[in-house]
Amino acid sequence: MSCCQGKNLTEENFKKLDEIIEKNKSRRGALIPVLHEAQELFGYLPYEVQKRIAEGLNIPMSEVYGVATFYTRFTLKPTGDHKISVCMGTACYVKGADKILDKLKELLKIDVGGTTEDGKFSIEATRCLGACGLAPVVVIDNTVYGKLAPEDIENILSRY
C-alpha cells in the first residue's frame, strides 16, 4: 500500500462527496463536474469513490471509469502534495526537456506517473503547456519555471 493511499478516504469526505453528487445529479452532464469535485476532495479517484459516484448518479460503473480514464486531468492513483508537470511539447523537447525530466527522476527516485515515498512529489510528462517562449518548462503546482537546465532542478525542488 502506498504512503498516500487512503489518506483522504475518510467518512467525512464521503459525506461531502454525497453532497456533491446530490447537488449535481439532476444536472445534465453531471458526471464530469462530479469527478472534478471528487478529485479535488480526495486528491485522486480510487475505486471506492468511482463506485459511490456511479451509485449516486445511477449510472454504470463502466461509464464513470471510462470518463475517469479518458481525460488526462483525472488520476486513479494518489498524487504527491506537489505535482510536477514537465512539458514535452516540441519546443521544450528540442531545448532539453528530456534531460530535465531525467534529472527530476534521478533526484526524486521515481518515474513518470510515480509519487515519492514520502508523498511529497509526483511527476507527469505533459503535452504543450503553451509557454513555448520559456522552453523548456516545468510547472510545480501552479508555478511555472522556464528556460531551465538540469542543474537548476535541485535548487527548485529545495523550495518545496
Side-chain angles (χ1 to χ4, degrees), residues 2-123:
S2 158
C3 65
C4 311
Q5 231 165 0
K7 78 175 180 180
N8 293 329
L9 298 179
T10 64
E11 197 51 49
E12 181 184 329
N13 279 349
F14 276 103
K15 284 179 185 167
K16 289 178 186 174
L17 177 61
D18 291 339
E19 291 169 14
I20 291 166
I21 293 167
E22 192 57 40
K23 167 181 88 175
N24 286 284
K25 76 181 195 182
S26 60
R27 200 175 148 183
R28 188 168 152 80
L31 179 56
I32 289 178
V34 169
L35 287 171
H36 275 293
E37 287 192 57
Q39 183 162 291
E40 192 76 21
L41 182 63
F42 294 96
Y44 67 116
L45 298 170
Y47 174 80
E48 302 88 343
V49 170
Q50 293 177 60
K51 187 171 190 278
R52 187 80 148 244
I53 291 170
E55 290 168 355
L57 294 178
N58 197 27
I59 58 176
M61 176 67 178
S62 60
E63 186 177 337
V64 175
Y65 179 79
V67 171
T69 55
F70 179 79
Y71 293 102
T72 58
R73 297 303 285 157
F74 296 127
T75 181
L76 306 185
K77 297 187 299 187
T79 57
D81 296 333
H82 302 288
K83 188 169 141 190
I84 302 171
S85 301
V86 181
C87 181
M88 297 302 280
T90 305
C92 287
Y93 191 82
V94 167
K95 293 196 173 190
D98 57 328
K99 291 170 185 60
I100 302 292
L101 184 57
D102 288 344
K103 188 67 172 180
L104 281 162
K105 293 189 315 187
E106 173 195 324
L107 290 170
L108 297 174
K109 297 174 180 52
I110 56 172
D111 209 343
V112 171
T115 300
T116 56
E117 191 75 25
D118 62 3
K120 198 168 184 178
F121 296 103
S122 296
I123 301 175

Side-chain angles (χ1 to χ4, degrees), residues 127-148:
R127 295 185 184 144
C128 183
L129 292 170
C132 303
L134 296 174
V137 173
V138 169
V139 176
I140 302 179
D141 302 328
N142 292 316
T143 303
V144 177
Y145 298 94
K147 299 188 184 239
L148 296 173

